[in-house]
Amino acid sequence: MDYKELFRKLERTLEQIHRSADLGADLFRTVRRLVDDFRDDLGLESARIYARRGNAYVLVHEYPGEERLRGFRIPVSYAPIQELLRNGIVVHRIQDPGVDPGIEKALGVSHFAAIGVGERTDFVLAFTLGSISDPDH
């Protein structure tokens, strides 16, 4: 499965979602549905939503979870964030160059994909990918 193409399609879908006054809540409902509906098919284990706050992306929602990491900050200078800002999408494993194992272990992540949302990438949707995920994509 071509996960980069999958996440590009997801990005197009998200652009078409009717937005309420609270985009963060809309995104949370969307990722919850994706994780619940595509856990087995796509290996989506969990999702996180980050909001841009100055020079960092701050974790504002986790699903599923107890929101135990709410407020976790990832600097905009982090290599996968820079790649996401350039390309709109990233897919990485913890051992990939530029990935900080300390950050990813704190999040409980070893394989992830993320997409930027908004004209200025105001939000990042990140998904933990399970073993069903193709390591070449």
Side-chain angles (χ1 to χ4, degrees):
M1 175 168 285
D2 183 347
Y3 282 96
K4 288 183 180 181
E5 181 58 29
L6 171 68
F7 281 96
R8 284 187 186 102
K9 288 178 184 177
L10 175 60
E11 182 177 29
R12 287 190 296 271
T13 299
L14 291 172
E15 288 172 353
Q16 296 174 7
I17 292 174
H18 173 70
R19 294 184 177 152
S20 70
D22 187 352
L23 179 57
D26 293 343
L27 292 174
F28 180 72
R29 284 189 296 273
T30 301
V31 298
R32 183 179 62 202
R33 178 88 186 250
L34 289 169
V35 170
D36 288 347
D37 292 353
F38 297 104
R39 178 181 309 274
D40 295 332
D41 295 327
L42 301 178
L44 300 179
E45 293 183 351
S46 64
R48 293 165 307 288
I49 300 172
Y50 298 88
R52 178 87 183 249
R53 301 284 188 264
N55 63 355
Y57 280 92
V58 178
L59 182 61
V60 294
H61 292 292
E62 299 174 75
Y63 182 79
E66 301 170 6
E67 305 279 342
R68 64 181 174 78
L69 294 172
R70 182 176 277 193
F72 189 90
R73 300 174 69 83
I74 299 178
V76 171
S77 61
Y78 184 41
I81 294 289
Q82 287 296 303
E83 182 181 349
L84 182 136
L85 292 172
R86 282 190 310 274
N87 303 326
I89 182 172
V90 293
V91 179
H92 280 294
R93 290 186 178 279
I94 198 168
Q95 68 269 19
D96 290 349
V99 174
D100 181 335
I103 289 175
E104 303 309 330
K105 286 180 183 176
L107 294 166
V109 172
S110 61
H111 187 195
F112 65 91
I115 61 170
V117 177
E119 289 182 29
R120 294 175 294 169
T121 317
D122 298 316
F123 291 91
V124 170
L125 306 183
F127 296 89
T128 301
L129 303 176
S131 59
I132 192 171
S133 304
D134 184 343
D136 295 326
H137 292 92

